[in-house]
Amino acid sequence: MVGIACLLDMDQFLLNLELHKEPRAEIFILGNLFAIGLFVSPIPTFKRIVRNKSTEQFSGLPYIYALLNCLICLWYGMPIVSPNIILVATVNSIGAFFQLIYLSIYIAFAGKAIKLKMLGLLIAVFAIFGTTVYVSMRFFDSHERQTFVGYLSVASLITMFGSPLFIINLVIKTRSIEFMPFCLSLSTFLMSLSFFAYGVLKYDPFIYVPNGIGTILGLVQLALYSYYSGAFGEDSREPLVNAHA
Protein backbone atom coordinates (compact mmCIF):
# COMPACT_ATOMS: atom_id res chain seq x y z
CA MET A 1 0.00 0.00 0.00
CA VAL A 2 2.84 2.34 0.83
CA GLY A 3 4.39 1.66 -2.57
CA ILE A 4 1.09 2.41 -4.33
CA ALA A 5 0.70 5.60 -2.34
CA CYS A 6 4.20 6.69 -3.30
CA LEU A 7 3.47 6.01 -6.97
CA LEU A 8 0.24 8.02 -6.74
CA ASP A 9 2.13 10.88 -5.10
CA MET A 10 4.74 10.74 -7.86
CA ASP A 11 2.05 10.79 -10.54
CA GLN A 12 0.45 13.81 -8.88
CA PHE A 13 3.82 15.53 -8.69
CA LEU A 14 4.48 14.96 -12.39
CA LEU A 15 0.97 16.14 -13.25
CA ASN A 16 1.47 19.33 -11.25
CA LEU A 17 4.83 19.85 -12.95
CA GLU A 18 3.23 19.58 -16.39
CA LEU A 19 0.44 21.96 -15.38
CA HIS A 20 3.03 24.50 -14.30
CA LYS A 21 4.97 24.16 -17.54
CA GLU A 22 2.04 24.91 -19.86
CA PRO A 23 1.01 28.33 -18.54
CA ARG A 24 4.66 29.31 -18.43
CA ALA A 25 5.04 28.44 -22.10
CA GLU A 26 1.78 30.19 -23.02
CA ILE A 27 2.78 33.34 -21.17
CA PHE A 28 6.16 33.33 -22.88
CA ILE A 29 4.58 32.91 -26.33
CA LEU A 30 2.27 35.85 -25.57
CA GLY A 31 5.27 37.88 -24.47
CA ASN A 32 7.02 37.11 -27.74
CA LEU A 33 3.96 38.14 -29.76
CA PHE A 34 3.65 41.41 -27.85
CA ALA A 35 7.39 41.99 -28.26
CA ILE A 36 7.10 41.60 -32.03
CA GLY A 37 4.18 44.04 -31.91
CA LEU A 38 6.47 46.48 -30.14
CA PHE A 39 9.21 45.96 -32.72
CA VAL A 40 6.92 46.73 -35.67
CA SER A 41 5.13 49.69 -34.04
CA PRO A 42 7.61 52.33 -35.40
CA ILE A 43 6.89 51.35 -39.03
CA PRO A 44 4.49 54.31 -39.61
CA THR A 45 7.18 56.67 -38.33
CA PHE A 46 9.73 55.38 -40.81
CA LYS A 47 7.22 55.43 -43.65
CA ARG A 48 6.90 59.14 -42.93
CA ILE A 49 10.70 59.59 -42.85
CA VAL A 50 11.08 57.84 -46.21
CA ARG A 51 8.12 59.76 -47.68
CA ASN A 52 9.46 63.14 -46.55
CA LYS A 53 13.11 62.16 -47.05
CA SER A 54 13.91 63.72 -43.70
CA THR A 55 14.19 62.61 -40.07
CA GLU A 56 12.56 65.94 -39.09
CA GLN A 57 12.48 66.13 -35.27
CA PHE A 58 12.47 62.38 -34.69
CA SER A 59 15.12 61.08 -32.30
CA GLY A 60 17.28 58.12 -33.26
CA LEU A 61 18.56 57.48 -29.73
CA PRO A 62 15.69 55.17 -28.65
CA TYR A 63 16.62 52.81 -31.48
CA ILE A 64 20.24 52.80 -30.31
CA TYR A 65 19.05 51.87 -26.79
CA ALA A 66 16.73 49.22 -28.20
CA LEU A 67 19.46 47.67 -30.36
CA LEU A 68 21.90 47.45 -27.46
CA ASN A 69 19.19 45.94 -25.26
CA CYS A 70 18.22 43.35 -27.89
CA LEU A 71 21.83 42.30 -28.41
CA ILE A 72 22.57 41.89 -24.70
CA CYS A 73 19.28 40.07 -24.03
CA LEU A 74 19.97 37.89 -27.08
CA TRP A 75 23.30 36.90 -25.51
CA TYR A 76 21.63 36.32 -22.12
CA GLY A 77 19.17 33.92 -23.74
CA MET A 78 21.85 31.81 -25.46
CA PRO A 79 22.25 28.28 -23.99
CA ILE A 80 25.93 28.95 -23.27
CA VAL A 81 24.82 31.71 -20.88
CA SER A 82 21.33 30.72 -19.68
CA PRO A 83 19.89 27.24 -20.28
CA ASN A 84 16.26 26.60 -21.24
CA ILE A 85 15.32 30.14 -22.38
CA ILE A 86 16.41 30.00 -26.02
CA LEU A 87 13.24 31.84 -27.08
CA VAL A 88 14.58 34.90 -25.26
CA ALA A 89 17.48 34.84 -27.72
CA THR A 90 15.13 34.21 -30.64
CA VAL A 91 12.78 37.12 -30.02
CA ASN A 92 15.66 39.52 -29.32
CA SER A 93 17.39 38.49 -32.54
CA ILE A 94 14.20 39.55 -34.34
CA GLY A 95 14.22 42.81 -32.38
CA ALA A 96 17.86 43.50 -33.26
CA PHE A 97 17.05 42.93 -36.94
CA PHE A 98 14.24 45.50 -36.84
CA GLN A 99 16.36 48.05 -34.97
CA LEU A 100 19.13 47.73 -37.55
CA ILE A 101 16.64 48.39 -40.33
CA TYR A 102 15.25 51.44 -38.51
CA LEU A 103 18.71 52.81 -37.81
CA SER A 104 19.80 52.26 -41.42
CA ILE A 105 16.81 54.27 -42.66
CA TYR A 106 17.35 56.96 -40.02
CA ILE A 107 21.03 57.36 -40.87
CA ALA A 108 20.28 57.43 -44.61
CA PHE A 109 17.92 60.42 -44.27
CA ALA A 110 19.60 62.26 -41.37
CA GLY A 111 21.63 65.44 -41.72
CA LYS A 112 25.42 65.17 -41.89
CA ALA A 113 26.09 65.98 -38.22
CA ILE A 114 23.40 63.62 -36.93
CA LYS A 115 24.48 60.96 -39.42
CA LEU A 116 28.05 60.98 -38.05
CA LYS A 117 26.80 60.95 -34.46
CA MET A 118 24.50 57.98 -35.08
CA LEU A 119 27.22 56.04 -36.93
CA GLY A 120 29.53 56.62 -33.96
CA LEU A 121 26.87 55.40 -31.53
CA LEU A 122 26.17 52.36 -33.70
CA ILE A 123 29.85 51.42 -33.66
CA ALA A 124 29.85 51.94 -29.87
CA VAL A 125 26.88 49.56 -29.49
CA PHE A 126 28.66 46.76 -31.35
CA ALA A 127 31.86 47.47 -29.40
CA ILE A 128 29.98 47.17 -26.09
CA PHE A 129 28.27 43.99 -27.23
CA GLY A 130 31.54 42.46 -28.44
CA THR A 131 33.24 43.37 -25.16
CA THR A 132 30.35 41.82 -23.21
CA VAL A 133 30.66 38.54 -25.12
CA TYR A 134 34.44 38.45 -24.77
CA VAL A 135 34.53 39.27 -21.06
CA SER A 136 31.70 36.88 -20.16
CA MET A 137 33.40 34.00 -22.02
CA ARG A 138 36.97 34.78 -20.99
CA PHE A 139 36.65 35.56 -17.30
CA PHE A 140 33.51 33.80 -15.99
CA ASP A 141 32.36 30.22 -15.58
CA SER A 142 28.82 29.18 -16.55
CA HIS A 143 27.03 30.33 -13.37
CA GLU A 144 29.00 33.55 -13.00
CA ARG A 145 28.53 34.23 -16.71
CA GLN A 146 24.74 34.11 -16.37
CA THR A 147 24.88 36.48 -13.39
CA PHE A 148 27.22 38.92 -15.15
CA VAL A 149 25.21 39.06 -18.37
CA GLY A 150 21.96 39.07 -16.35
CA TYR A 151 22.93 42.27 -14.54
CA LEU A 152 23.87 43.87 -17.85
CA SER A 153 20.53 42.84 -19.36
CA VAL A 154 18.68 44.35 -16.39
CA ALA A 155 20.58 47.63 -16.83
CA SER A 156 19.91 47.74 -20.58
CA LEU A 157 16.20 46.90 -20.14
CA ILE A 158 15.72 49.57 -17.48
CA THR A 159 17.46 52.09 -19.75
CA MET A 160 15.20 51.11 -22.64
CA PHE A 161 12.02 51.22 -20.57
CA GLY A 162 13.11 54.48 -18.95
CA SER A 163 13.64 56.38 -22.20
CA PRO A 164 9.89 57.20 -22.59
CA LEU A 165 10.10 59.20 -19.32
CA PHE A 166 11.18 62.16 -21.46
CA ILE A 167 8.03 61.73 -23.55
CA ILE A 168 5.85 61.37 -20.43
CA ASN A 169 7.22 64.68 -19.18
CA LEU A 170 6.54 66.26 -22.57
CA VAL A 171 2.95 64.96 -22.60
CA ILE A 172 2.32 66.49 -19.17
CA LYS A 173 3.85 69.82 -20.20
CA THR A 174 2.06 70.12 -23.53
CA ARG A 175 -1.14 68.32 -22.43
CA SER A 176 -0.97 66.57 -25.79
CA ILE A 177 -0.67 62.87 -26.66
CA GLU A 178 0.79 63.72 -30.05
CA PHE A 179 4.19 62.57 -28.84
CA MET A 180 3.02 59.26 -27.34
CA PRO A 181 1.45 56.80 -29.83
CA PHE A 182 -1.17 54.57 -28.22
CA CYS A 183 -0.08 51.35 -29.96
CA LEU A 184 3.47 51.80 -28.69
CA SER A 185 2.33 52.35 -25.10
CA LEU A 186 -0.05 49.38 -25.22
CA SER A 187 2.58 47.08 -26.76
CA THR A 188 5.13 48.11 -24.12
CA PHE A 189 2.68 47.41 -21.31
CA LEU A 190 1.50 44.02 -22.62
CA MET A 191 4.99 42.80 -23.45
CA SER A 192 6.40 43.86 -20.08
CA LEU A 193 3.50 42.31 -18.19
CA SER A 194 3.88 38.99 -20.02
CA PHE A 195 7.63 38.78 -19.47
CA PHE A 196 7.20 39.86 -15.84
CA ALA A 197 4.83 36.93 -15.27
CA TYR A 198 7.15 34.57 -17.15
CA GLY A 199 10.15 35.72 -15.09
CA VAL A 200 8.24 35.17 -11.83
CA LEU A 201 7.27 31.64 -12.88
CA LYS A 202 10.87 30.93 -13.94
CA TYR A 203 12.21 32.45 -10.67
CA ASP A 204 14.48 34.62 -12.81
CA PRO A 205 14.93 38.11 -11.31
CA PHE A 206 16.92 39.17 -14.37
CA ILE A 207 13.67 38.87 -16.32
CA TYR A 208 10.95 39.88 -13.84
CA VAL A 209 12.66 42.89 -12.20
CA PRO A 210 13.19 45.06 -15.32
CA ASN A 211 9.91 43.95 -16.88
CA GLY A 212 8.10 44.79 -13.66
CA ILE A 213 9.48 48.32 -14.00
CA GLY A 214 8.47 48.31 -17.68
CA THR A 215 4.93 47.23 -16.71
CA ILE A 216 4.59 50.17 -14.32
CA LEU A 217 5.93 52.67 -16.87
CA GLY A 218 3.67 51.23 -19.56
CA LEU A 219 0.68 51.56 -17.24
CA VAL A 220 1.61 55.18 -16.52
CA GLN A 221 1.73 55.89 -20.26
CA LEU A 222 -1.69 54.31 -20.81
CA ALA A 223 -3.16 56.25 -17.88
CA LEU A 224 -1.79 59.52 -19.28
CA TYR A 225 -3.06 58.66 -22.73
CA SER A 226 -6.53 57.97 -21.35
CA TYR A 227 -6.57 61.15 -19.26
CA TYR A 228 -5.30 63.60 -21.87
CA SER A 229 -7.23 62.11 -24.80
CA GLY A 230 -10.42 62.30 -22.72
CA ALA A 231 -9.78 65.71 -21.22
CA PHE A 232 -8.43 67.53 -24.25
CA GLY A 233 -9.48 65.40 -27.21
CA GLU A 234 -7.31 62.96 -29.09
CA ASP A 235 -4.70 64.58 -31.28
CA SER A 236 -4.69 62.74 -34.58
CA ARG A 237 -1.52 64.33 -35.94
CA GLU A 238 1.55 62.20 -36.52
CA PRO A 239 4.11 62.41 -33.69
CA LEU A 240 7.00 64.81 -34.20
CA VAL A 241 9.24 62.90 -31.81
CA ASN A 242 9.24 59.14 -31.69
CA ALA A 243 8.83 57.61 -28.25
CA HIS A 244 9.90 54.07 -29.11
CA ALA A 245 12.34 52.53 -26.67
Side-chain angles (χ1 to χ4, degrees):
M1 294 296 291
V2 174
I4 294 174
C6 289
L7 287 174
L8 290 174
D9 288 341
M10 181 59 71
D11 287 342
Q12 186 62 41
F13 171 77
L14 292 173
L15 177 60
N16 290 337
L17 186 61
E18 289 302 315
L19 289 175
H20 281 298
K21 282 182 179 178
E22 289 184 5
R24 194 159 60 196
E26 290 170 358
I27 290 172
F28 189 72
I29 291 171
L30 280 176
N32 275 263
L33 292 175
F34 292 140
I36 293 173
L38 182 63
F39 296 148
V40 302
S41 62
I43 288 178
T45 294
F46 283 89
K47 282 185 176 180
R48 172 174 170 172
I49 288 175
V50 172
R51 182 175 67 246
N52 296 339
K53 297 182 179 179
S54 170
T55 58
E56 302 177 40
Q57 298 180 54
F58 289 102
S59 173
L61 291 179
Y63 305 98
I64 289 290
Y65 293 139
L67 176 61
L68 179 60
N69 172 71
C70 287
L71 290 174
I72 292 178
C73 289
L74 185 161
W75 182 237
Y76 178 72
M78 295 296 289
I80 198 170
V81 177
S82 303
N84 303 322
I85 56 170
I86 187 63
L87 288 179
V88 169
T90 303
V91 72
N92 279 285
S93 66
I94 296 172
F97 174 74
F98 274 101
Q99 305 314 315
L100 282 171
I101 291 177
Y102 297 147
L103 285 168
S104 298
I105 295 173
Y106 189 91
I107 291 171
F109 291 100
K112 184 176 180 180
I114 297 178
K115 190 191 298 285
L116 291 175
K117 177 183 176 181
M118 294 301 296
L119 284 171
L121 290 172
L122 190 59
I123 293 172
V125 164
F126 284 111
I128 292 171
F129 177 62
T131 302
T132 299
V133 173
Y134 173 78
V135 170
S136 62
M137 293 298 296
R138 179 69 175 80
F139 298 104
F140 298 100
D141 61 26
S142 57
H143 177 70
E144 292 174 339
R145 185 182 304 130
Q146 183 178 9
T147 302
F148 171 70
V149 180
Y151 277 117
L152 290 179
S153 69
V154 168
S156 65
L157 275 166
I158 291 175
T159 300
M160 187 185 77
F161 286 134
S163 60
L165 288 174
F166 299 104
I167 303 303
I168 289 173
N169 183 53
L170 188 61
V171 169
I172 294 173
K173 281 185 176 180
T174 61
R175 297 185 175 185
S176 170
I177 55 174
E178 175 189 1
F179 303 95
M180 191 171 62
F182 174 75
C183 290
L184 178 61
S185 300
L186 181 62
S187 297
T188 299
F189 171 71
L190 292 175
M191 183 200 73
S192 301
L193 181 61
S194 298
F195 277 105
F196 169 74
Y198 177 76
V200 169
L201 291 173
K202 288 284 288 184
Y203 305 106
D204 191 334
F206 296 127
I207 294 177
Y208 70 70
V209 169
N211 282 286
I213 295 173
T215 300
I216 294 171
L217 290 174
L219 191 60
V220 169
Q221 291 181 61
L222 289 174
L224 286 174
Y225 190 96
S226 176
Y227 174 75
Y228 284 109
S229 63
F232 301 100
E234 183 172 354
D235 193 331
S236 60
R237 291 175 296 169
E238 291 181 274
L240 295 177
V241 180
N242 186 271
H244 176 60

